[in-house]
């Protein structure tokens, strides 16, 4: 009797699974990276290529945004479901318009902003920039914190001659000696090596995190609508993304190759270098202390304080806790 | 070495002197005709040679101004299927926007030319749309219409349609009054007047607007790709500069120019085949 019952149960269950299969079509997710495809953005490509998202029942399409604030806007309007961007951009947008987007996972637990200069330029530390001509991208998120970082290090921002240019002009200007330094994320360094090397110069990178600029950088953003309507999808995505990150850190070359397979214009060697340069931003004392992806309340507050000071916003304009949702990363 | 080359013309000189004058004049005219025929190509080749030489002589680094040879090398380094993918993406958006512009502009022009009220109410609006810098509005259009081909086609359309409307209206209104009066006296209806008299008169205007709009359509597609795209030549150029691969970006530009030229010629060819009477006699 029990044997028969078991057999019926098994039969019923297999039938349910069979019937259930068509209904379990892959969940579509549009994922937007914050800038054009490059080595430091290889993680989602590796996740797609290795089938990590597919294993969670997700069909992920990757789109390239045009800056962190573009990603926040696209998520807010529903043009994309999940994306990456600098946390500062989200905090600023939250404070100003209360955009319905939240950060769910901290990718960079150190700030990626840095001074790029060349050997022999006379700049060996942050204080040397006083009186020098420096170029930055017109819409770079770094521009917001820059004067504060200078002031925190006892440098008058007015003493630095700033030039705002197109991002594509930064490396040529540095290589040609039109400026003595540029402001970039450390992850772009490998791409600078072409022009700087052609000019027979050697690139020097001075990360702002060495000068007291703390806070969360690149993070995963999700629209509040997505968190409300498809929380399970967000959870699965974060799980697969975290796994892809671990795989990429263990094998940066595989990550670069996965990127190349989906974006054929990529140069694997440069992409690998770019990804390797982003590893210290992800694996560091903060990530070891708090765990992967976690937002520590104190560091989150520090991140907001930098933004508030830079934007001249009152500190109580935003409770930074309202900009994050920690449930998805659990 | 230099002696022999210097001596060579001297030995040939008496021969030309001795030759009868008539064939010499013939040689002169063929040379002139040859020069006349190939002057554009020669001038282009000379400009390229000067450019190439300048980058060598002044040691201009490739990130400031790549030599033509470096641009060709970068173009060849990109696989053909990658190029085709980008070309197809840009061409598709450009053509969709272009065709949409024609489909909207011609009927709109007819409406504007036939009704004073419409002309007075719609024309100022069209001028406002045309005066808006589309490059500045493009990001907003993308946010509003989502990330698909639609915003790109709309951006291309907005850049393309105005010259077609204006030229077609001008053409429609340039029909000689006598012809209109004659057709009316023969009791031709309004639609016949437009289809058989006004529109044929507008064809030369329309065709020149269509020619201008081909290049505008390519510009529109590229502007749209700068704002949001994963494929296309605009994306390729932006991507190449993000890695500071300036020769590759220039190669993308060359391909864009080639597409614009090809489309421009295609409209010319279509005019020759479909409406040859609209061409000046010398060009038929």
């Amino acid at each position: 009797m029990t044997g028969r019952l078991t057999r019926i149960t098994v039969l019923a269950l297999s039938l349910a699974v069979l019937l259930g299969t068509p209904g379990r079509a892959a969940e579509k997710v549009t994922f937007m990276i914050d800038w054009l495809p490059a080595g430091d953005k290889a993680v989602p490509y590796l996740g797609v290529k290795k089938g990590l998202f597919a294993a969670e029942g997700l069909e992920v399409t990757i789109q390239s945004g045009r800056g962190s604030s573009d990603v926040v806007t696209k998520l807010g309007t529903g043009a994309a479901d999940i994306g990456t961007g600098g946390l500062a951009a989200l905090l600023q947008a939250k404070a100003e318009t209360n955009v319905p987007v939240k950060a769910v996972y901290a990718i960079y637990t150190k700030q990626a902003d840095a001074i790029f200069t060349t050997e022999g330029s006379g700049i060996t530390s942050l204080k040397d920039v006083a009186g020098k001509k420096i170029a930055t991208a017109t819409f770079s998120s770094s521009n917001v914190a820059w004067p504060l970082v200078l002031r925190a290090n006892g440098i008058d921002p007015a003493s630095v001659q700033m030039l705002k240019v197109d991002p594509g002009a930064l490396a040529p200007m540095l290589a040609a000696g039109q400026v003595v330094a540029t402001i970039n994320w450390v992850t772009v360094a490998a791409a600078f090596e072409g022009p700087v090397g052609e000019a027979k110069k050697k690139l020097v990178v001075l990360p702002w995190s060495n000068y007291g600029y703390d806070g969360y950088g690149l993070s995963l953003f999700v629209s509040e609508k997505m968190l409300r309507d498809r929380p399970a999808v967000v959870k699965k995505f974060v799980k697969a993304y975290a796994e892809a990150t671990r795989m990429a850190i263990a094998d940066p070359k595989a990550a670069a190759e996965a990127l190349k397979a989906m974006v054929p214009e990529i140069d694997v060697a440069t992409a690998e270098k770019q990804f390797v340069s982003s590893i210290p931003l992800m694996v560091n004392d903060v990530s070891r202390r708090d765990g992967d992806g976690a937002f520590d309340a104190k560091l989150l507050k520090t991140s907001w304080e930098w933004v508030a000071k830079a934007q001249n916003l009152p500190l109580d304009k935003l409770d930074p806790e309202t900009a994050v949702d920690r449930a998805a990363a659990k | 070495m230099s002696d022999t080359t210097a001596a060579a013309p001297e030995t040939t000189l008496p021969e030309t002197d001795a030759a009868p004058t008539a064939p010499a004049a013939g040689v002169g005219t063929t040379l002139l005709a040859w020069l006349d025929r190939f002057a554009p190509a020669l001038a282009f080749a000379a400009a390229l040679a000067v450019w190439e030489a300048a980058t060598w002589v002044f040691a201009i680094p490739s990130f400031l101004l790549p030599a033509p040879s470096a641009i060709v090398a970068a173009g060849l380094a990109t696989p053909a299927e990658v190029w085709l993918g980008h070309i197809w993406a840009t061409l598709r958006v450009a053509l969709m926007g272009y065709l949409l512009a024609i489909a909207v502009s011609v009927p709109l022009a007819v409406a504007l030319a036939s009704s004073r009220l419409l002309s007075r109410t719609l024309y100022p609006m069209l001028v406002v749309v045309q005066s808006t810098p589309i490059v500045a509005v493009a990001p907003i259009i993308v946010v509003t219409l989502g990330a698909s081909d639609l915003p790109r086609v709309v951006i291309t359309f907005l850049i393309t349609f105005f010259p077609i409307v204006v030229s077609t209206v001008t053409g429609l209104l340039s029909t000689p009054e006598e012809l209109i009066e004659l057709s009316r006296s023969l009791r031709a209806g309004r639609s016949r007047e437009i289809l058989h008299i006004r529109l044929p008169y507008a064809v030369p205007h329309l065709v020149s607007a269509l020619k201008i709009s081909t290049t505008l359509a390519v510009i529109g597609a590229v502007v749209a790709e700068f704002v949001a795209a994963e494929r296309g030549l605009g994306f390729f150029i932006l991507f190449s500069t993000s890695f500071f691969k300036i020769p590759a970006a220039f190669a993308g530009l060359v391909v864009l120019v080639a597409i614009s030229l090809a489309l421009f010629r295609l409209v010319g060819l279509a005019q020759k085949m479909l409406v040859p009477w609209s061409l000046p006699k010398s060009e038929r």
Side-chain angles (χ1 to χ4, degrees):
Chain A
M1 186 67 188
T2 34
R4 204 163 148 206
L5 256 180
T6 325
R7 246 175 295 158
I8 291 171
T9 323
V10 168
L11 200 75
L13 274 177
S14 2
L15 207 68
V17 168
L18 269 177
L19 287 174
T21 315
R24 287 178 36 135
E27 283 266 11
K28 286 190 178 18
V29 174
T30 307
F31 182 67
M32 185 170 266
I33 55 174
D34 51 301
W35 187 236
L36 299 165
D40 50 305
K41 324 252 178 248
V43 168
Y45 294 90
L46 185 71
V48 170
K49 215 68 211 156
K50 293 275 173 190
L52 299 177
F53 294 116
E56 295 291 331
L58 306 177
E59 188 188 327
V60 174
T61 324
I62 303 173
Q63 290 184 345
S64 58
R66 303 289 188 265
S68 300
S69 27
D70 182 40
V71 175
V72 173
T73 315
K74 297 270 165 66
L75 290 172
T77 54
D81 301 320
I82 306 180
T84 54
L87 186 70
L90 177 66
L91 292 174
Q92 189 184 334
K94 271 271 189 221
E96 277 163 8
T97 61
N98 197 21
V99 58
V101 176
K102 285 195 175 189
V104 295
Y105 191 89
I107 302 172
Y108 292 173
T109 41
K110 293 260 181 203
Q111 297 288 14
D113 316 67
I115 297 277
F116 282 17
T117 182
T118 50
E119 237 171 46
S121 66
I123 296 180
T124 51
S125 88
L126 191 66
K127 63 175 180 359
D128 299 327
V129 299
K132 300 273 173 35
K133 199 193 254 182
I134 290 184
T136 179
T138 312
F139 298 110
S140 166
S141 57
S142 307
N143 299 347
V144 176
W146 172 240
L148 291 181
V149 175
L150 287 177
R151 253 183 243 127
N153 285 275
I155 306 157
D156 176 15
S159 71
V160 187
Q161 209 184 330
M162 294 303 290
L163 222 58
K164 288 192 176 170
V165 299
D166 183 84
L170 289 171
M173 288 185 90
L174 181 64
Q178 289 162 349
V179 292
V180 288
T182 63
I183 294 174
N184 286 90
W185 278 20
V186 292
T187 48
V188 199
F192 265 63
E193 280 171 9
V196 171
E198 195 181 329
K200 309 254 178 324
K201 291 178 182 173
K202 206 166 173 305
L203 187 71
V204 177
V205 176
L206 306 171
W208 294 4
S209 55
N210 293 353
Y211 299 95
Y213 184 41
D214 295 328
Y216 291 107
L218 199 72
S219 312
L220 280 185
F221 297 160
V222 183
S223 68
E224 285 177 8
K225 184 172 184 299
M226 178 93 180
L227 279 170
R228 207 168 43 238
D229 299 348
R230 298 157 79 194
V233 173
V234 177
K235 258 197 152 114
K236 285 176 188 169
F237 184 93
V238 171
K239 187 179 160 213
Y241 189 93
E243 179 56 28
T245 308
R246 279 189 284 276
M247 274 173 95
I249 291 170
D251 189 355
K253 191 153 192 272
E257 277 162 358
L259 176 63
K260 167 89 181 169
M262 292 173 74
V263 186
E265 296 85 352
I266 284 285
D267 174 56
V268 174
T270 308
E272 189 186 341
K273 275 191 212 162
Q274 286 180 318
F275 183 75
V276 168
S277 67
S278 75
I279 296 178
L281 304 173
M282 299 185 274
V283 184
N284 49 49
D285 48 335
V286 178
S287 71
R288 274 188 284 268
R289 186 191 65 205
D290 303 333
D292 289 341
F295 284 106
D296 167 60
K298 199 162 154 252
L299 193 56
L300 182 65
K301 199 162 155 268
T302 309
S303 309
W304 162 241
E305 281 165 4
W306 277 103
V307 175
K309 267 188 266 171
Q311 296 293 330
N312 275 327
L313 296 167
L315 272 179
D316 57 2
K317 173 101 182 175
L318 175 81
D319 174 7
E321 290 295 326
T322 61
V324 297
D325 185 323
R326 293 190 179 86
K330 273 179 190 152
Chain B
M1 191 65 190
S2 58
D3 281 348
T4 45
T5 45
E10 275 176 35
T11 49
T12 50
L13 209 62
E15 278 177 37
T16 26
D17 268 353
T21 31
V27 169
T29 39
T30 24
L31 189 70
L32 272 180
W34 188 83
L35 263 179
D36 182 58
R37 188 164 169 207
F38 293 103
L42 281 176
F44 187 66
L48 281 184
V50 169
W51 178 354
E52 179 82 34
T55 52
W56 282 96
V57 173
F58 302 111
I60 302 173
S62 76
F63 54 80
L64 291 184
L65 180 70
S69 57
I71 296 171
V72 172
L76 294 177
T78 307
E81 65 266 25
V82 173
W83 275 124
L84 286 177
H86 289 308
I87 291 171
W88 173 235
T90 303
L91 200 58
R92 207 184 43 175
V93 168
L95 287 180
M96 284 198 283
Y98 184 62
L99 294 177
L100 181 68
I102 298 173
V104 172
S105 301
V106 176
L108 187 64
V110 169
L112 289 178
S114 5
S115 154
R116 234 179 76 79
L117 178 72
L118 272 182
S119 165
R120 272 180 44 225
T121 46
L122 282 184
Y123 218 84
M125 268 195 262
L126 292 181
V127 177
V128 168
V129 172
Q130 173 64 15
S131 312
T132 316
I134 303 297
V135 182
V137 195
I140 301 166
I141 296 175
V142 171
V143 167
T144 317
L145 298 179
S148 63
D149 267 349
L150 183 67
R152 294 194 269 276
V153 172
V154 168
I155 291 167
T156 309
F157 164 79
L158 285 175
I159 290 188
T160 319
F161 88 107
F162 193 70
I164 307 181
V165 176
V166 174
S167 292
T168 314
V169 169
T170 314
L172 289 169
L173 294 180
S174 70
T175 318
E177 263 325 295
E178 309 90 272
L179 272 183
I180 302 297
E181 276 165 24
L182 180 67
S183 74
R184 281 187 190 150
S185 68
L186 295 171
R187 294 198 188 159
R190 195 96 172 107
S191 56
R192 272 196 95 174
E193 178 193 316
I194 286 167
L195 267 179
H196 292 118
I197 301 168
R198 285 196 186 268
L199 269 178
Y201 251 93
V203 164
H205 293 266
L206 176 63
V207 173
S208 50
L210 290 183
K211 279 184 180 166
I212 299 168
S213 294
T214 51
T215 49
L216 290 179
V218 174
I219 293 173
V222 170
V223 164
E225 284 164 3
F226 274 177
V227 179
E230 319 305 315
R231 284 239 134 307
L233 291 163
F235 171 82
F236 178 79
I237 291 171
L238 198 64
F239 179 86
S240 300
T241 40
S242 83
F243 276 89
F244 309 113
K245 290 180 180 166
I246 312 300
F250 267 80
L253 272 180
V254 171
V255 175
L256 272 178
V257 171
I259 290 180
S260 285
L261 286 177
L263 290 176
F264 191 85
R265 287 300 290 269
L266 267 179
V267 175
L269 267 178
Q271 184 184 18
K272 236 179 190 165
M273 288 168 71
L274 301 174
V275 281
W277 47 265
S278 68
L279 280 164
K281 274 209 177 88
S282 57
E283 286 175 32
R284 268 176 222 170

